[in-house]
Structures are given as C-alpha cells and as structure tokens.
Amino acid sequence: MNSRWGKNGWVYLLIIVAFGALLLNMFPQKSTTDKNVSIGKVATWIQQDKVKSIELHNEQINVRLIGSKNITYHATKEKTVGLTTLLSQFGVTPQQLSKVNVLVDKPSDYGGWMVFLTNFLPLLFIGVLFIFLMRQAQGANSQAMSFGKSKARMLSGDKPTVTFDDVAGAEEAKQELQEVVEFLREPQKFLALGARIPKGVLLMGPPGTGKTLIAKAVSGEAGVPFFSISGAEFVEMFVGVGASRVRDLFAQAKKNSPSIVFVDEIDAVGRQRGAGLGGSNDEREQTLNQILVEMDGFDTDTNVIIMAATNRPDILDPALLRPGRFDRRVVMDRPDIRGRRQILDIHANGKPLAADVDLEVIAHLTPGFVGADLENLLNEAAILAARRSQTQIHMAELKEAIERVSMGPERRSRIISPEERRIVAYHESGHALVAKFCKYADPVQKVTIIPRGMASGYTSYLPEKDETLVSRSKFKDMMAVALGGQEAELVIFGDITDGAVSDIKQVTKIARAMITRYGMSDKLGPLVFGRREELIFLGREINEQRNYSEMTAKKIDEEVERLIKAAQTRAHNIIMQYHNKLDELAQLLLEKETVEAAEFHALFEDIPEANQAVPIQIA
Ligand code: ADP
Ligand code: MG
Ligand code: ZN
C-alpha cells in the first residue's frame, strides 16, 4: 500500500497544482483598492504633478498617486505603442514625465509562464488523470510494463529479522531445516566431504501453519539472501513471462549465493500437467518446465537452496517430487496444545494482558487453530478491548475473539466442548485399539483429536509395505478397525454420535466391493455383480447398473450385513477385553491431543497378544 502512495504521489500533486491554476484563471485576483482609469486620466494627473510612480508591465500601467497610499490605478495601453509616445499624444511633455518615477518591467517570462500555466496545465491535468485512470483500470496488468524482470523480492541477508525463535510449536520442522541452515552457513564444510546437499525442500501443511514464516526463518538463521516469489504471481497475462521470470529469479539467486529461492504456493504452477477438464494452461506448463530446468541445471556447488510451500501436495506434478528436485519434505501440521500455547506466547508479546488471562486455557479451547488463527485471535481481542476503552486485554475478550475467529466467514476451525472432546478421544482410541489387535491391519502411526477438515479427529495408519494385493483377511480387519470408533462410543457412553459417517461409508464400501467385485463371498462365489461405468473425465464418478435378479440382490444384502456384523462383533470384543487400555489411551489423548507411534505402541508392551512391530517413524 505504501509503495502505491509513493508512486502515485506526484500524480496527486500535479492534480492539485493544476486545479489551483485553473482557479487562478477563472478568478483573476483583484484587490478591492484597485481602480481602472483611462490613459487620458493618467496623462492629466502627470500634468498636474499628482503622480508618484508608474509601473509598466507589458500592456498594463499601474499608477500610484502622491498622498494616496494604497490605491493603485490601472490603465491599459496597446502593446505596439510605447508609453512615452502614448502620453505625448495626450500632451505630456518629457519634462513633466521625468518628474514621475517610471518603472518598466522587462517583458518577463512571468506572463508567458502564466499563460502556459493557465492554459496548458488544465490540459495536462486531464491527460494525467486519463493515464492514471487507465492504469487503475488495468490493475495488475499494468505490471506488463516491467514484465520479464523477476518480481522476486530480495530480503537482505544482512539483517535477518525472523529466526526459528519466532516460529513456535514446529520442533520437527525446525530440526529438519537445521541441516539446511548449517549448509547455507558453511557450504565448504559439507562439500569438502562430498556430501550431496538437498536441492529442494517442500514445505507442506494447511494454510496459516507458518510455512512462509519458517522459510524466512531459515534465511534469517543462516544469514543469507532470500528471494521469494509466489506461484500465483507467475500466472500472468503473457505466455512466456512466467518462464522468463523464473530464469531471472534463479540468475539473481546464483549471483548472490549462498542464498534461498522460495516459491510460495507452488501448487499454482506445479499442478499435475495435463490434468483437469478444461485443457492445459500453456503458461503454467512453461513456467513449471522452466523451474524444472533451472533445478536440474544447478551444480552441487551453486549453494542455492530452493524452498517451496504448498497446502496441496497431492496435486503437485510428480516431476517436481522426483529425487534431485523437491526430495526433502517438511510437514507443518496444525499445532497441538503445547504448540498453540507457544504461538500464543509469541504473539501476546507486546500486548497488555490482564491478570485474569490464562493463555493455557485459551490454548485448550482452540483445537484446530493454526498459527495464523491464533495471531488473529489475539488481534481481535486487542481490538475488542480497545473498543471497550480498556487498557488491558481480559479473558472475556479473548474468549469472544475465539468465537469471532472460528465463526468467521471461512469457519476454518470449530469450537469443541469438553464432552465432545471426550467422545472424540474415545472414538479415536477405539479405532487405534482395534487396529492394535487386528493382525492384518496397518499399524497405527498417529492418533489425534485435533480436528482436520470435517473430521474432529483422526487416526492414521502406516502401511508396512506397498501393497498391490489386498487379502480377504485384511479387508475384514479394515472393517473392524473402521467400526472400532463407534463401538467404543457405544461401550463407554451407551450411545453413538454421527461422528462416524465416513467410517460407516468406508465399511459399507469395503463389504459391498468384497462381495460384488472381488468374489470374496463363500455364499455367492466368484462373480461380478453389476456393471459399472467409470466416467473417467469426471474423476471417479461411478454409474452402476444392476444386472442381477431381485433374489441375488437380497443375497448380496444379506452377505454384506453378515460381514459387517462380524466386523462389529470383533471390534466390540477387542474393546471389552482391553477396556483399560482404551481408557489409558483416551486419557493420554485428552491430555496431549496427539499420540505418536512410539508412545502408542509403548502402551501395549505388557500385552503379548498385541505383538505388532512398531512402525518406523517417517517424517
Ligand atoms: P502459511 O504460509 O503456512 O500459510 P504463514 O507463514 O503465512 O502461513 O503464517 C501466517 C502468520 O501466522 C505468520 O506471519 C505468523 O505471524 C503466524 N504464524 C503461523 N504459524 C506460526 C507459528 N508456528 N509460530 C508463530 N507464528 C505463526
Ligand atoms: Mg504462505
Ligand atoms: Zn472414526
């Protein structure tokens, strides 16, 4: 905004000046003590020795009389005739005239300037206004004037302002990036040992989790220049502009190495090529290709590290993720309760908090909030306090701000009551517990009650190996695990909630597929039931047509029901048998919100039946 004012400042100045000139032109000033007289009158006064002085400005004659202090009389003469000649025509002799003090203004530029200003400036004014409006209308397109030159902003490495201390609750990410920092600080140390340094680091995570922030912090920590550009900026109006920007950007970075190139929102250009319905976007593809070319063209001794951020790693072009490109991935996840506390501490700095404020409580009340939300929350609270004319921010404002932020237009995060939290904790524990005791189920990698998207919590599993074939036993285990959540709710609370929508959907889908597509039912045998058309261009929409009898349909339904019931019973039995473990896990979740693999599996060390290997943690 600032630069915009600076750039347009002269336009506004011109407008004001021109307007002033226009006004001058319309209302020529006239002092009230001035009077117009004829030349003849002036001649008479001279003859009567009444005149003190005469000033001559071009055609205008200003006359002052002896004795009258303030009055100036004006007369006009023709341009071509001299004053002396004119007066002599009225009978003024040279002697009479010599008694008068005559001042002749050199026909100065002043008049010319005045003419210029009053006549030409309004035109200029209109012209400038016109250009100004045109540029406004074109908006971003006016940047076309400078196309080709990278708009990468170079933040000087001399004055690192952001450091890792400014990023809270992302310990794993910081650890990962520490290596990058060390390399940028002392590249020789690594190169001397022939180490291959990561070329590209991809930061992944939901919006507002601090991806941009941590990228800057890496530059700040290492004290190297930071060249950043946003993927969205690449998508400009001329084909080829994006590509030349990339070229320029990398050239600059190389010149200033060691340095960091940061491509924010890379998904804007890095989308899978050739995907989508409406044909491909040439500009985007060219830009993406250029990025790939530049990354491949880097030698190991270039000392430039490319960082990129995205919240949609799933749609990125696989070419970007190949080894030698963005092969380092760093996840910036939604912060847990401890992380939120730390973020609140950072952003509360400099804000006067009242004695009743407990940020621990605020952290507790804001599951699902990301860093940007929390920063926003404190800001909203400060605004509320100011509007209430308070000198400090109280708990009341903070609580109101939570609602404002979460109920905001995007409704990104939601508030969860303590009871809901308990239900979610037991639900997720149920999934995890059943998974632990199902031989073929994927091992649990992480259990969390931090909401994500529409889910209020989730349990993630880690496939032990890449599987192309899934066995019937595994499908059965998967169904039991999926039903574990609702089963746990039922056992603990005697009631169930609608929190299991996607679980139920998944179970139904597995059971039906087992019977109608994979021939896994003993009763119905290896037959495919139903003809389905996959509408490929719409993604995964499936249109199913029935090609079997009413009676078969009934049998299918029965088989589906049997499978699901069996899975439900298994889940129920596991939960009843290991009730105490369910409680332990749920308690742990309520306390910490997230339980990682190692901690989860450690809970079951004393139970030999749960002898699943602890999965290797992948970052
Ligand atoms: P992203 O790039 O992931 O969308 P940003 O880095 O732009 O998120 O974060 C927006 C703002 O939110 C940051 O400028 C910072 O003030 C705040 N913020 C986000 N995450 C954190 C964090 N982990 N610690 C401190 N502040 C954070
Ligand atoms: Mg960002
Ligand atoms: Zn569930």
Side-chain angles (χ1 to χ4, degrees):
M1 221 46 203
N2 259 332
S3 70
R4 196 171 184 95
W5 270 98
K7 211 168 69 189
N8 291 333
W10 64 274
V11 176
Y12 296 121
L13 198 75
L14 249 175
I15 290 173
I16 291 165
V17 168
F19 210 73
L22 233 157
L23 281 178
L24 260 174
N25 200 20
M26 282 159 74
F27 309 105
Q29 352 131 266
K30 220 165 220 172
S31 130
T32 44
T33 50
D34 287 6
K35 280 184 184 142
N36 284 330
V37 291
S38 68
I39 284 282
K41 187 89 184 177
V42 176
T44 319
W45 284 339
I46 293 172
Q47 283 163 337
Q48 293 168 349
D49 281 346
K50 279 186 176 170
V51 176
K52 185 176 155 202
S53 67
I54 293 177
E55 281 172 41
L56 195 61
H57 296 286
N58 302 320
E59 303 96 279
Q60 196 175 16
I61 304 164
N62 297 337
V63 184
R64 286 180 166 244
L65 298 184
I66 299 167
S68 63
K69 274 177 206 151
N70 287 327
I71 306 171
T72 307
Y73 297 93
H74 300 290
T76 30
K77 71 173 185 67
E78 283 160 64
K79 214 174 194 170
T80 44
V81 191
L83 180 66
T84 324
T85 326
L86 190 64
L87 287 173
S88 66
Q89 280 170 6
F90 285 91
V92 178
T93 61
Q95 287 96 323
Q96 283 167 331
L97 194 57
S98 67
K99 291 182 198 157
V100 179
N101 196 1
V102 179
L103 275 169
V104 180
D105 248 19
K106 183 176 76 191
S108 68
D109 296 337
Y110 174 70
W113 264 110
M114 217 43 211
V115 169
F116 170 78
L117 276 178
T118 50
N119 293 316
F120 191 64
L121 257 188
L123 265 180
L124 194 73
F125 162 65
I126 290 165
V128 166
L129 195 72
F130 186 67
I131 293 170
F132 181 66
L133 287 177
M134 288 273 287
R135 288 182 55 137
Q136 290 266 306
Q138 278 182 338
N141 290 346
S142 66
Q143 291 157 357
M145 317 268 274
S146 63
F147 72 84
K149 272 280 166 229
S150 163
K151 284 195 304 173
R153 295 163 295 259
M154 178 176 153
L155 305 183
S156 163
D158 304 335
K159 291 179 255 159
T161 47
V162 187
T163 65
F164 280 164
D165 289 339
D166 297 309
V167 189
E171 296 313 319
E172 282 154 44
K174 281 191 225 171
Q175 262 172 32
E176 284 270 313
L177 293 170
Q178 187 59 40
E179 191 182 305
V180 174
V181 171
E182 274 160 29
F183 166 71
L184 287 168
R185 269 198 202 135
E186 299 172 276
Q188 301 79 15
K189 198 172 94 183
F190 288 80
L191 295 173
L193 291 169
R196 201 177 68 84
I197 296 307
K199 212 183 263 182
V201 180
L202 185 65
L203 300 167
M204 317 189 293
T209 44
K211 297 182 294 296
T212 310
L213 186 71
I214 206 166
K216 281 186 191 155
V218 169
S219 139
E221 287 279 328
V224 301
F226 182 74
F227 298 90
S228 93
I229 191 154
S230 165
E233 289 170 44
F234 281 132
V235 187
E236 294 268 345
M237 60 190 242
F238 301 124
V239 171
V241 173
S244 83
R245 284 230 174 107
V246 172
R247 224 172 295 134
D248 194 59
L249 173 68
F250 280 78
Q252 269 191 56
K254 276 184 227 174
K255 219 163 58 193
N256 292 285
S257 79
S259 61
I260 291 177
V261 171
F262 179 58
V263 186
D264 210 349
E265 293 159 41
I266 196 171
D267 40 291
V269 284
R271 242 165 226 280
Q272 209 153 354
R273 283 169 291 189
L277 288 175
S280 61
N281 180 339
D282 273 346
E283 170 61 8
R284 233 187 42 216
E285 285 199 5
Q286 283 195 22
T287 308
L288 175 58
N289 285 339
Q290 192 62 40
I291 291 178
L292 297 178
V293 166
E294 292 288 347
M295 287 187 83
D296 289 346
F298 272 18
D299 299 326
T300 30
D301 56 353
T302 318
N303 301 344
V304 176
I305 285 185
I306 302 136
M307 297 181 77
T310 180
N311 45 33
R312 299 290 314 274
D314 49 317
I315 61 164
L316 286 186
D317 196 296
L320 272 173
L321 306 175
R322 263 190 12 213
R325 286 168 182 166
F326 290 105
D327 44 7
R328 224 22 105 87
R329 325 264 161 83
V330 174
V331 177
M332 296 290 288
D333 223 337
R334 290 175 194 274
D336 61 6
I337 198 162
R338 263 185 51 229
R340 292 201 299 273
R341 173 68 210 261
Q342 288 165 6
I343 295 172
L344 283 169
D345 280 337
I346 285 182
H347 291 288
N349 205 351
K351 291 192 172 68
L353 298 182
D356 70 334
V357 169
D358 187 352
L359 290 180
E360 193 73 44
V361 172
I362 300 298
H364 200 84
L365 291 173
T366 48
F369 276 46
V370 294
D373 292 334
L374 294 169
E375 186 189 12
N376 192 7
L377 186 160
L378 284 166
N379 190 44
E380 287 285 343
I383 290 169
L384 277 172
R387 278 179 37 196
R388 291 172 186 171
S389 310
Q390 296 170 350
T391 51
Q392 285 182 319
I393 302 168
H394 293 265
M395 205 62 176
E397 281 88 43
L398 284 167
K399 284 193 175 159
E400 202 174 324
I402 293 177
E403 263 157 57
R404 282 200 174 195
V405 173
S406 53
M407 298 301 184
E410 290 181 38
R411 202 179 171 272
R412 261 194 282 171
S413 345
R414 51 181 154 157
I415 310 175
I416 293 172
S417 69
E419 303 89 80
E420 271 183 312
R421 245 178 126 240
R422 248 170 73 80
I423 294 173
V424 174
Y426 271 101
H427 179 105
E428 295 309 324
S429 298
H431 284 308
L433 185 78
V434 174
K436 187 70 186 170
F437 290 97
C438 281
K439 207 168 150 198
Y440 301 100
D442 292 325
V444 171
Q445 199 210 352
K446 179 177 171 181
V447 193
T448 176
I449 56 170
I450 299 177
R452 171 193 250 180
M454 290 308 286
S456 36
Y458 62 94
T459 303
S460 62
Y461 312 92
L462 184 75
E464 268 179 309
K465 48 190 186 291
D466 284 343
E467 286 169 308
T468 43
L469 296 177
V470 182
S471 68
R472 175 155 61 179
S473 312
K474 174 143 190 179
F475 276 129
K476 285 183 173 171
D477 278 6
M478 281 163 75
M479 288 196 291
V481 171
L483 289 171
Q486 206 177 37
E487 219 37 57
E489 284 183 43
L490 196 62
V491 168
I492 302 296
F493 303 100
D495 199 357
I496 51 176
T497 65
D498 64 352
V501 206
S502 62
D503 297 337
I504 306 295
K505 227 189 246 166
Q506 197 197 352
V507 169
T508 315
K509 208 172 110 192
I510 293 175
R512 285 203 82 83
M514 281 173 76
I515 292 155
T516 62
R517 291 169 69 189
Y518 307 140
M520 286 178 175
S521 160
D522 294 329
K523 245 192 190 155
L524 291 161
L527 282 175
V528 172
F529 299 99
R531 196 174 55 221
R532 44 182 59 79
E533 292 164 37
E534 304 202 0
L535 304 176
I536 293 175
F537 70 92
L538 278 182
R540 295 170 43 207
E541 200 94 332
I542 287 171
N543 187 11
E544 196 180 295
Q545 268 177 2
R546 207 190 241 198
N547 62 353
Y548 43 81
S549 71
E550 224 21 76
M551 212 172 72
T552 314
K554 196 163 167 267
K555 271 197 215 156
I556 292 173
D557 288 345
E558 277 167 13
E559 276 294 277
V560 168
E561 200 186 314
R562 197 178 59 80
L563 276 175
I564 293 178
K565 277 266 149 64
Q568 205 173 15
T569 309
R570 279 183 66 205
H572 182 82
N573 290 342
I574 292 171
I575 284 166
M576 292 312 281
Q577 192 175 349
Y578 301 101
H579 202 303
N580 58 336
K581 292 292 168 194
L582 184 76
D583 286 335
E584 257 180 69
L585 180 56
Q587 221 42 55
L588 205 56
L589 274 175
L590 285 171
E591 225 170 87
K592 309 179 72 175
E593 291 188 347
T594 300
V595 175
E596 301 283 349
E599 206 173 349
F600 171 78
H601 294 286
L603 278 179
F604 300 92
E605 260 167 3
D606 52 337
I607 302 177
E609 295 90 74
N611 55 356
Q612 274 182 22
V614 176
I616 312 146
Q617 186 96 39
I618 47 163

